[in-house]
Amino acid sequence: MRYILVFIIVSFLHGNGRSVLLGSPLKKSTAYAKLNDIRRKAGLVPLRRNKLLDKAAQAHADYLVANQKSSHFEHKGAPKFTGARPQDRAIYAGYPIRFVSENFSMQTCDPKASINGLFSAIYHRFSFLSPSIDEVGLGYAVDRRDKLNGAFVYLMGNSRLARLCRIKSFLDSGRYYYNLCKHKAHRIGMKRFDRAQRSIKCRAPAIIVYPYDRQSDVPPVFYDESPDPLPDSEVSGYPISVEFNDCYFRKVSVVSFKLFEGDDHEVRNVRLIRRKNDPNKRFTAFQFALFPMRRLKFATHYRAEISYKAQGKTNTLAWNFSTVKPPFKLYRIADTERTLRLKSAKSYTLYFPPRNAHDLLRHVRYPLGVGITFFDRNTLILSLPRNAPRHFTIEGGDRRVHISVQ
């Protein structure tokens, strides 16, 4: 019996000028709709598409795929170069202000998977859920020789701030900003800048939580992000985040942040990340994230609860969400050896629960004639055709699943 050995590669390859195929408008519009659906359900204003941001985002997607790089930065002289930093690329595309933020994902051609993956990554999530943005550009590109190797890029901005670079430079006395517009000497009055930001921020909720209240199909797991908020762990539970909108809060302190499985079973093994202990110094004083240090369970109801002190008062906010249900009957492969009797022409979910913070399916060996796809890096989807081998073994790391097909 011939076997296939699959290695799970999570690093990015580096090459020299691979050919790029522009991504389909449908995939960009699907990603855009997914992003705005989440923002609406979180209580935020939807983002408008901006053609200039679209142009800059597309240029960076082309660069990422052509050069097989995974970075917000571009190197001058490389194929498809349009600017070293996101703000440089925005200006090059004609966007009037450098005040932009960028998210991207690589090695996926599925727009929904791109959005879901970025929302599992806490720093990227806060960018998407920022109350300070109201417009976005999207880019998508794919390698002509590897149609599974795609890059999505999202470039976000603030239309009110962009407008300030189109009007006459600030000439009055008082404090101002410069080096923000295309012409770096163009000055923006600090009060006008703050009003432009607040005009959008104050349309957002006072508190932005994610997963949002009553959200379903939440992934149970977080793996990695660059930079990494959990550098000592490769697999943990899905992070729960809270951002206090500084349009309504001047200062906030968190008294407690808890997660409950069901109604009253508290998840104890957690890590609260805030500004003072964020290993990458990305959090603001208004952002907080609770990381369960073990994966959450599939198809399970959870309740999050945060107590905070602001304006001299202590308040408590609680909300609920539920994790995703696997698409097929679930088998939990916890032991080193497991035997399963399965039926042909059906599909099954095989879950290899991590035994520690570094236990991932790094390679999987299985025979020709069966289908294996990855639900996540600890979970396989096994598809058995009618002519599947009668007996075979799937090896996932040091665990073996002996399959008997009926």
Side-chain angles (χ1 to χ4, degrees), residues 231-252:
D232 57 334
S233 175
E234 294 181 86
V235 54
S236 66
Y238 197 75
I240 298 91
S241 64
V242 176
E243 179 165 359
F244 294 89
N245 188 340
D246 63 8
C247 181
Y248 304 96
F249 295 92
R250 296 186 63 183
K251 185 178 180 181
V252 177

Side-chain angles (χ1 to χ4, degrees), residues 5-20:
L5 180 62
V6 178
F7 290 92
I8 312 306
I9 302 175
V10 296
S11 60
F12 294 98
L13 302 176
H14 297 271
N16 293 311
R18 300 181 72 178
S19 59
V20 173

